[in-house]
């Protein structure tokens, strides 16, 4: 009789309280696991977006480096301005070198508007009068040339020139040639969304 009761007690299974405790523990473990997995997914998504932003900005810097290196020499355009910078915009005159073709002048402008960095280039020309018209159009909102979006999520862009007097902040509008002489270097800083530290790069002007 005693053995039969012992067997019945062993075969009766878990009580309701034991099942509730086990289910509660499993629920807590599941919630903790889901939160950890969700955090990993969110961190991975943020890191991927940041890497894409950095990669896009590096490509934009590479294009700006090419334009800066091909800055037109002052001897070709006389006393005309070849470089102008202001908050969120920079405009320059560069050389267009094509194989089996005459060297031409081109007006290129970079601008940050509504969080998007764009680049706009004019047609190449050898006519200085036409160059003047292209320069005026590039520094206004009537430029008919199509712009190319280089990077989104850009809060602001700031520039400095390296002159014979050292680094000069492009506050407001600074136009070269200026009293400090034609700049030999350009520093561009851009602040992206979600980043407090700007990405900064310096370029030689007219290096080619």
């Amino acid at each position: 009789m005693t053995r039969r009761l012992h067997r019945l007690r062993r075969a009766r299974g878990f009580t309701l309280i034991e099942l509730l405790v086990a289910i509660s523990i499993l629920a807590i473990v599941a919630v903790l696991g889901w939160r950890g997995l969700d955090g990993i997914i969110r961190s991975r998504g943020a890191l991927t977006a940041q890497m894409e932003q950095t990669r896009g900005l590096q490509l934009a810097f590479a294009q700006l480096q090419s334009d800066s290196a091909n800055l037109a020499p002052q001897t070709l355009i006389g006393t005309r301005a070849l470089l102008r910078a202001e908050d969120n915009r920079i405009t320059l005159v560069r050389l267009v070198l094509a194989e089996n073709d005459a060297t031409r002048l081109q007006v290129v402008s970079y601008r940050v508007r509504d969080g998007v960095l764009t680049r706009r280039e004019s047609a190449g020309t050898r006519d200085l009068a036409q160059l003047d018209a292209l320069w005026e159009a590039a520094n206004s909102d009537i430029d008919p040339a199509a712009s190319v979006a280089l990077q989104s999520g850009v809060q602001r862009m700031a520039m400095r020139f390296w002159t014979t007097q050292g680094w000069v902040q492009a506050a407001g509008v600074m136009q070269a040639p200026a009293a400090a002489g034609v700049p030999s270097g350009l520093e561009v800083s851009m602040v992206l969304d979600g980043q407090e530290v700007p990405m900064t790069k310096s370029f030689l002007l007219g290096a080619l």
Side-chain angles (χ1 to χ4, degrees), residues 71-91:
L71 186 72
Q74 198 72 55
T75 54
L76 281 183
I77 62 175
T79 58
R80 292 173 175 81
L82 52 80
L83 183 63
R84 176 177 177 175
E86 56 187 315
D87 292 341
N88 294 324
R89 176 188 284 186
I90 183 168
T91 308

Side-chain angles (χ1 to χ4, degrees), residues 23 64 109 117 124:
I23 292 173
L64 184 54
S109 62
L117 172 65

Side-chain angles (χ1 to χ4, degrees), residues 63-115:
Q63 180 64 64
L64 184 54
Q65 182 176 16
S66 175
D67 291 333
S68 299
N70 286 281
L71 186 72
Q74 198 72 55
T75 54
L76 281 183
I77 62 175
T79 58
R80 292 173 175 81
L82 52 80
L83 183 63
R84 176 177 177 175
E86 56 187 315
D87 292 341
N88 294 324
R89 176 188 284 186
I90 183 168
T91 308
L92 57 88
V93 179
R94 62 159 291 170
L95 295 175
V96 179
L97 307 175
E99 189 176 357
N100 299 325
D101 195 5
T103 300
R104 297 178 181 273
L105 297 170
Q106 184 181 60
V107 179
V108 177
S109 62
Y110 291 82
R111 187 174 186 181
V112 175
R113 175 186 282 182
D114 298 329

Side-chain angles (χ1 to χ4, degrees), residues 17-32:
I17 295 177
E18 291 172 339
L19 288 174
L20 291 176
V21 171
I23 292 173
S24 300
I25 293 174
L26 288 175
I28 293 173
V29 172
V31 170
L32 293 177

Side-chain angles (χ1 to χ4, degrees), residues 1 21 29 39 54-55 64 69 91-93 116 127 139-140 142 146 164 188 196 201:
M1 187 68 176
V21 171
V29 172
T54 302
R55 180 176 177 274
L64 184 54
T91 308
L92 57 88
V93 179
V116 179
D127 186 345
N139 286 284
S140 64
I142 60 173
T164 55
V188 179
E196 297 181 359
K201 191 165 184 178

Side-chain angles (χ1 to χ4, degrees), residues 181-201:
V182 178
S184 59
L186 170 67
E187 181 188 80
V188 179
S189 298
M190 297 190 195
V191 179
L192 300 178
D193 290 341
Q195 298 184 16
E196 297 181 359
V197 179
M199 294 188 66
T200 303
K201 191 165 184 178

